[in-house]
Amino acid sequence: GVPRLTGMGDPSLQGTAAPGGSGTDVMAEGWKLGPALDDGDVSPGEAPEGAWQPEEALMTELSELVQKVVKSSSWWERHGVDISILACSFLLLPAGFLCLRSAQAIPFLAGVLTLGVVHHTLTVKGSHLASHNALTESKSWGKVWAIFFIELCSAFTVEQATYNHVKIHHGYTNIIGLGDSSTWKLPFLNRYVYMFIAPLAVPILTPLVALDLLRNVEWKAALRTLCCMFLGFYCHYWLLLHVSGFQSPWSALLCMLLTRSLLAHPYIHVNIFQHIGLPMFAADRKPKRIHLMSLGVLNLPRNALLDWSFGHSLISCHVEHHLFPSLSDNMCLKIKPIVSQYLKQKKLPYNEDTYSSRLWLFLQRYEELMVHAPPITELVGIQ
């Protein structure tokens, strides 16, 4: 029941170079827009009546359906569920640090697992929701939560995080040179190093990248970010020394690296699996929003650990999140049946795939997807 794109990666469909002399091949795509029709509704060769429905009307209709669900939902459904998950994560912190005091392997590993999951819940789920102001309906509190989760917990600057993610990635999803996820590519690494070894360096690279980006923000914001970054790192380090009982600074730092990189592999994988390898577009020939998001975004299956740590909007409801980015994880899960049914009814793609399938795809086509420039997709019949 999942619409498939035909022609992707077929050399016979490569055409002329993209405008601007980029040299990127343009690919003819055989997918056409049309509503879902019962057998016999349209005779062969006859254009379906809904095929000319304006793209804006499709997005408006879907938005109205979703808005009805949002308005009928309680505060608990809109924000409470996700706030409770973040609160539970905070409550697990003492247990995690105390488990690390044990000289026995099982309690110690339980502490590492607990702190690793809590760290990613706060830095990935918390930061992601805060960047979209999805934790609260108050803009003032939204700013506070953004500083706390993005700068204090994640060691990144709010201004650059929201600009790169909300303005660029969401505004220009899979647009070549803008939101095409190229920041996740390291073409000088081979596939096995990138997929299985490089993620361990994420806790080190993240603050270094953040420090480099501070050049692009005002000095007040840069000073605030530096203070929050230092406070976050020092609190983690201090707790390991004085609560967990680490005797050596190097052992405490090693434990910090271990817990902060515990879920770094799925973090990197999820960020590339759900966009790279899907249709890419030139900025001057991009489709309308509903087509852009249905074509260029993919959902992974539900997973208890990743749903808790990363949130539904980054795992099984990524399509819904890109269409309605201000909704919380729980609301994205609630509107998922509506969005999937609507897109399939209108014969729009609703991309879904398994984690193992995407991992195998990237290992097989790493050079094509992560090293070379992706081909531009030319959709026929929707523009």
Side-chain angles (χ1 to χ4, degrees):
V2 180
R4 299 293 182 185
L5 293 172
T6 59
M8 294 304 298
D10 186 349
S12 66
L13 297 178
Q14 295 179 356
T16 59
S22 65
T24 305
D25 289 332
V26 177
M27 302 185 68
E29 177 56 61
W31 179 81
K32 294 178 181 291
L33 171 66
L37 296 169
D38 295 330
D39 293 338
D41 282 354
V42 180
S43 60
E46 179 182 350
E49 183 178 354
W52 306 105
Q53 185 175 3
E55 292 87 347
E56 292 83 357
L58 290 173
M59 190 64 202
T60 300
E61 185 179 6
L62 178 58
S63 298
E64 290 175 351
L65 295 174
V66 170
Q67 190 64 22
K68 290 179 181 179
V69 177
V70 174
K71 288 182 177 180
S72 64
S73 301
S74 64
W75 176 88
W76 173 256
E77 292 175 305
R78 297 196 308 273
H79 304 292
V81 173
D82 294 296
I83 291 176
S84 297
I85 292 174
L86 295 171
C88 287
S89 297
F90 278 111
L91 295 176
L92 288 171
L93 282 174
F97 283 109
L98 290 174
C99 283
L100 293 179
R101 296 181 63 91
S102 176
Q104 298 180 0
I106 293 179
F108 183 85
L109 292 177
V112 171
L113 177 62
T114 300
L115 291 183
V117 172
V118 168
H119 171 76
H120 284 86
T121 304
L122 300 180
T123 58
V124 180
K125 179 183 176 70
S127 296
H128 187 232
L129 290 174
S131 69
H132 289 285
N133 199 32
L135 284 171
T136 175
E137 295 174 7
S138 168
K139 291 185 177 181
S140 300
W141 275 107
K143 179 68 173 178
V144 172
W145 289 124
I147 293 174
F148 177 79
F149 285 110
I150 298 175
E151 297 191 351
L152 187 69
C153 298
S154 307
F156 218 81
T157 175
V158 167
E159 285 76 9
Q160 285 297 308
T162 53
Y163 176 78
N164 290 330
H165 180 72
V166 179
K167 300 294 184 182
I168 301 300
H169 175 63
H170 273 268
Y172 302 93
T173 302
N174 283 24
I175 302 300
I176 297 294
L178 292 171
D180 59 357
S181 302
S182 58
T183 54
W184 294 101
K185 297 182 179 182
L186 298 174
F188 55 88
L189 298 179
N190 70 48
R191 66 196 67 201
Y192 299 105
V193 172
Y194 179 88
M195 301 296 288
F196 303 112
I197 299 177
L200 297 174
V202 168
I204 300 173
L205 295 177
T206 297
L208 294 178
V209 172
L211 290 174
D212 181 63
L213 292 175
L214 289 181
R215 298 177 300 172
N216 302 324
V217 302
E218 296 181 356
W219 70 270
K220 292 182 179 179
L223 181 61
R224 181 200 68 222
T225 300
L226 288 173
C227 291
C228 289
M229 289 173 62
F230 173 79
L231 182 61
F233 279 115
Y234 184 76
C235 286
H236 193 176
Y237 175 74
W238 188 90
L239 288 169
L240 289 174
L241 289 179
H242 295 86
V243 177
S244 300
F246 281 84
Q247 301 298 317
S248 165
W250 289 108
S251 62
L253 292 174
L254 182 61
C255 185
M256 286 179 63
L257 178 63
L258 179 61
T259 56
R260 288 171 177 249
S261 62
L262 185 69
L263 297 179
H265 288 83
Y267 174 72
I268 293 293
H269 295 169
V270 165
N271 274 286
I272 64 175
F273 288 174
Q274 294 178 315
H275 296 287
I276 298 176
L278 296 173
M280 299 281 178
F281 305 94
D284 59 343
R285 293 197 305 276
K286 68 182 182 71
K288 296 295 182 180
R289 177 178 176 80
I290 191 169
H291 298 126
L292 185 64
M293 300 310 175
S294 66
L295 286 164
V297 187
L298 177 141
N299 285 344
L300 295 171
R302 293 195 61 177
N303 177 285
L305 177 61
L306 298 185
D307 285 347
W308 178 278
S309 303
F310 295 173
H312 300 298
S313 61
L314 290 180
I315 305 299
S316 61
C317 303
H318 205 51
V319 173
E320 290 74 13
H321 169 65
H322 267 260
L323 287 168
F324 304 98
S326 63
L327 296 183
S328 65
D329 289 330
N330 186 64
M331 283 306 302
C332 284
L333 184 63
K334 188 174 181 179
I335 68 168
K336 181 182 175 70
I338 296 173
V339 173
S340 61
Q341 181 181 2
Y342 183 85
L343 293 181
K344 292 173 183 178
Q345 177 187 2
K346 300 299 180 181
K347 293 299 184 181
L348 290 167
Y350 188 76
N351 297 308
E352 295 178 299
D353 203 357
T354 64
Y355 191 105
S356 59
S357 174
R358 298 299 287 178
L359 180 61
W360 179 248
L361 172 71
F362 274 75
L363 289 176
Q364 292 293 105
R365 299 172 55 190
Y366 181 82
E367 293 288 330
E368 174 188 348
L369 298 177
M370 302 297 291
V371 177
H372 303 304
I376 294 177
T377 300
E378 182 73 18
L379 294 179
V380 179
I382 72 168
Q383 300 183 60

